[in-house]
Amino acid sequence: MKKTDYDKNYLLGGAIACSQADGGFQEGGKGISTQDLRYLDPSWTPEQIEDKHQNNPFSQEEFDQALKDQGTKYYPLRRGIDFYYHYKEDIKMLAETGLQIFRTSISWSRIFPNGDDQEPNEEGIKYYRDMFTECKKYGIKVFATMIHYDIPVNLVIKYGGWKNRKIISFFEKYVTVLYKRLGDLVDYWLPFNEINAAKFSPWDGVCLIPGTEKNMDQEIFQCLHHQFLCSARAVQLGRELVPGKLIGGMIARFTTYPATSKPEDNLQAIQDDQYSNWFYLDVLARGYYPEYMKRYFDKINVHIHFEPGDKELLKDGTVGFVSFSYYFSQVSTNAANWEQTAGNLIMTKKNPYLKESEWGWQIDPIGLRFTLNQIYDRYHLPIIVAENGIGAHDELTSDHKVHDDYRIAYLSAHIDQLDEAVKDGVNLIAYTMWGIIDIVSCGPLTMDKRYGIIYVDLDNGGKGTGKRYKKDSFYWYKNRIQEHIAKSKKK
């Protein structure tokens, strides 16, 4: 067999985020995080939930009220799926599939409850050491995200969050503790989840409340500059404290095609790619602000404040791998009447050749291969597909089964394209499907938009047994991983 026929030693795994899974709100010494403040009324209709998600995801009123309310009824991310107390049984169940790598995030507010504390919270460190050790017990590699949207809310109240350069020193202290105390258990590090979320979901990405800034774009991109510096500093510290470990960068990938062969649509596709995708990865992977952003910043009246040493830090702290979330593709056009549909973080323009999920996300497996080739050709860095999956309403039958053929079809088609991309020459480290076990969906904050191969018996209000049940996709993924490992060994 030729090497190019089947050269795929990449890892198959799964991913979750601490804020969507852990629960344990203010337990184990944890402080309040920014994601703990997001509100959902469990009595809302699906239409009300979607309206909230799309039109008013976070407000100053919501912020103020959430700080007063110490309960969990209206705050799903304070409940999650109680992974904090169930991680041993959850990881054991996941290990039955032969899972090779597990991505989760670390809550800054569990390590430093206020963000500016003098000493770390030992209970928080112990939780992550114990949880990562549990992964190692089953031979599962650990892929740890340092910030998956959530930071200690005290940093926002006291300092202004990412707007204040002081956060860089606080982040540096946080990262140093992570490397020194958890570095022996983590195989891959990611400083920021979907760093381009700042532009499309400001509260999630940079803890800015829509409507509260005079020039929102200015504040977003200045916050991003501070995040870029933090990422670079994390890479520098990693070389010193966890030598040999890869530290990467990640975006939410908005794959786009020209809607037509019109030159205007092709130019629009290039610009959409630059402003939504490449800018963020160019800074992280190339170490400088690309030239094409100068005209864009002039257009939106943004002027990034650099301090002495910033350019040198960005250049010295480039990432060792690139990662991204991929759920859909879209088309680019400046036609005003082009039909739109939903997507991860954004509304997108419809591609008439693609089918959609229940939530309107366009299903495009070939787009994943297209994306992998694009990114590898641009940076020639190894790649991790950090998120990919399909959210759906799953029905738990009376005998505790979930027949999710739609999820099997989605995952199978996308993983097939991974194999094709590897044959194309792409250096792929891993694929971590989202979310490997049902968790609170980040956008609508509901449980009924499910991604996992394991069903968690909880509803949008947190009611239910909390029991875990294997879906049909669980057994399919188990077989797929076993086949993948066997073929990798044969090559």
Side-chain angles (χ1 to χ4, degrees):
M1 182 165 57
K2 295 179 182 178
K3 185 175 187 292
T4 53
D5 286 342
Y6 206 90
D7 185 10
K8 57 170 200 175
N9 282 327
Y10 66 87
L11 306 169
L12 285 177
I16 61 172
C18 62
S19 62
Q20 295 167 251
D22 282 7
F25 174 62
Q26 291 184 294
E27 295 179 49
K30 179 184 175 294
I32 300 174
S33 104
T34 50
Q35 289 291 293
D36 291 331
L37 308 189
R38 296 182 61 204
Y39 180 94
L40 173 80
D41 187 331
S43 69
W44 282 345
T45 64
E47 291 75 21
Q48 288 174 309
I49 291 170
E50 191 62 18
D51 179 66
K52 164 69 174 169
H53 173 212
Q54 295 294 344
N55 300 318
N56 186 26
F58 199 74
S59 66
Q60 185 66 51
E61 180 183 7
E62 187 175 338
F63 178 91
D64 296 337
Q65 179 58 36
L67 290 178
K68 298 174 185 176
D69 189 342
Q70 296 301 300
T72 61
K73 179 179 179 181
Y74 298 106
Y75 301 95
L77 298 179
R78 297 180 184 182
R79 300 188 304 263
I81 58 168
D82 209 19
F83 183 77
Y84 183 74
Y85 286 112
H86 292 275
Y87 72 84
K88 287 188 177 181
E89 64 192 75
D90 289 342
I91 291 171
K92 181 180 180 181
M93 189 177 286
L94 290 172
E96 290 181 37
T97 66
L99 203 76
Q100 296 175 290
I101 184 170
F102 179 59
R103 178 188 174 216
T104 188
S105 59
I106 298 168
S107 174
W108 188 344
S109 59
R110 208 175 276 287
I111 304 299
F112 287 99
N114 299 297
D116 60 354
D117 311 80
Q118 290 300 308
E119 299 295 332
N121 170 36
E122 291 297 329
E123 286 185 86
I125 293 171
K126 183 179 185 303
Y127 165 65
Y128 289 109
R129 281 205 67 84
D130 290 348
M131 192 253 286
F132 294 161
T133 299
E134 200 69 16
C135 292
K136 295 297 183 179
K137 185 170 82 173
Y138 297 103
I140 300 171
K141 292 184 181 296
V142 174
F143 177 18
T145 307
M146 298 172 182
I147 293 180
H148 197 121
Y149 297 154
D150 59 326
I151 70 172
V153 75
N154 176 65
L155 294 179
V156 177
I157 296 170
K158 191 173 178 180
Y159 303 96
W162 293 107
K163 292 192 291 184
N164 193 328
R165 283 184 70 103
K166 287 183 179 179
I167 201 170
I168 300 172
S169 62
F170 298 138
F171 180 81
E172 181 177 331
K173 188 173 183 180
Y174 168 56
V175 172
T176 299
V177 168
L178 295 188
Y179 286 155
K180 287 184 175 180
R181 304 293 297 276
L182 302 172
D184 59 316
L185 296 171
V186 175
D187 298 279
Y188 301 97
W189 289 99
L190 181 66
F192 291 92
N193 174 73
E194 295 182 332
I195 200 166
N196 56 336
K199 185 70 175 72
F200 307 100
S201 186
W203 179 252
D204 288 339
V206 284
C207 306
L208 294 178
I209 300 172
T212 62
E213 305 292 340
K214 290 182 180 179
N215 184 341
M216 193 63 164
D217 283 332
Q218 172 65 36
E219 298 299 343
I220 285 171
F221 283 102
Q222 191 62 52
C223 286
L224 271 165
H225 181 66
H226 298 155
Q227 290 189 343
F228 290 145
L229 295 172
C230 284
S231 175
R233 191 71 184 108
V235 172
Q236 287 183 329
L237 286 167
R239 289 200 292 260
E240 175 188 343
L241 300 174
V242 285
K245 297 291 178 71
L246 286 182
I247 300 148
M250 178 188 175
I251 61 166
R253 173 65 188 183
F254 306 126
T255 297
T256 191
Y257 313 119
T260 71
S261 57
K262 287 171 55 180
E264 291 86 353
D265 286 351
N266 280 264
L267 179 60
Q268 189 65 51
I270 289 174
Q271 292 176 335
D272 286 345
D273 230 352
Q274 288 176 332
Y275 305 149
S276 299
N277 298 294
W278 296 137
F279 161 60
Y280 306 88
L281 288 181
D282 281 353
V283 177
L284 294 173
R286 290 176 167 173
Y288 58 87
Y289 278 63
E291 292 79 4
Y292 55 78
M293 290 301 288
K294 294 177 182 178
R295 183 173 182 175
Y296 179 72
F297 284 153
D298 285 344
K299 179 181 178 181
I300 62 174
N301 192 29
V302 165
H303 304 279
I304 307 298
H305 173 69
F306 276 73
E307 289 197 0
D310 284 3
K311 289 184 178 180
E312 291 77 9
L313 175 56
L314 292 177
K315 193 66 179 176
D316 187 57
T318 54
V319 297
F321 69 88
V322 172
S323 59
F324 60 90
S325 58
Y326 176 86
Y327 295 98
F328 65 93
S329 67
Q330 60 187 339
V331 298
S332 290
T333 178
N334 53 18
N337 59 346
W338 200 275
E339 186 178 357
Q340 291 194 321
T341 186
N344 179 32
L345 299 175
I346 62 172
M347 293 297 293
T348 71
K349 292 183 171 66
K350 290 191 71 168
N351 184 332
Y353 298 99
L354 299 178
K355 295 180 180 179
E356 300 174 356
S357 74
E358 290 180 63
W359 270 265
W361 296 19
Q362 299 180 114
I363 300 171
D364 180 13
I366 292 174
L368 179 55
R369 178 184 177 186
F370 173 86
T371 298
L372 285 163
N373 273 275
Q374 268 195 324
I375 291 176
Y376 190 64
D377 182 61
R378 190 176 184 98
Y379 303 111
H380 269 266
L381 290 172
I383 298 174
I384 295 179
V385 180
E387 294 180 23
N388 171 247
I390 185 169
H393 286 102
D394 291 337
E395 180 183 350
L396 184 67
T397 64
S398 58
D399 57 349
H400 300 134
K401 307 289 185 184
V402 176
H403 303 302
D404 56 341
D405 291 347
Y406 42 87
R407 181 166 293 108
I408 293 171
Y410 180 98
L411 295 174
S412 179
H414 283 77
I415 294 174
D416 285 347
Q417 292 301 318
L418 297 181
D419 295 345
E420 294 302 319
V422 170
K423 292 175 185 176
D424 293 336
V426 173
N427 181 359
L428 183 62
I429 296 174
Y431 167 90
T432 53
M433 66 154 290
W434 187 265
I436 189 75
I437 181 172
D438 287 347
I439 53 179
V440 177
S441 182
C442 183
L445 297 181
T446 59
M447 279 298 299
D448 60 10
K449 187 181 185 185
R450 299 174 181 272
Y451 285 83
I453 62 173
I454 297 172
Y455 186 94
V456 180
D457 185 24
L458 293 170
D459 65 14
N460 291 345
K463 295 180 180 179
T465 65
K467 290 183 178 178
R468 278 62 162 153
Y469 300 103
K470 300 170 185 175
K471 305 178 188 180
D472 288 355
S473 57
F474 177 95
Y475 301 101
W476 172 84
Y477 201 37
K478 178 180 180 178
N479 288 334
R480 182 76 186 227
I481 291 172
Q482 289 174 344
E483 291 173 0
H484 174 79
I485 292 171
K487 290 179 179 178
S488 296
K489 288 180 179 178
K490 286 181 180 178
K491 77 170 185 70

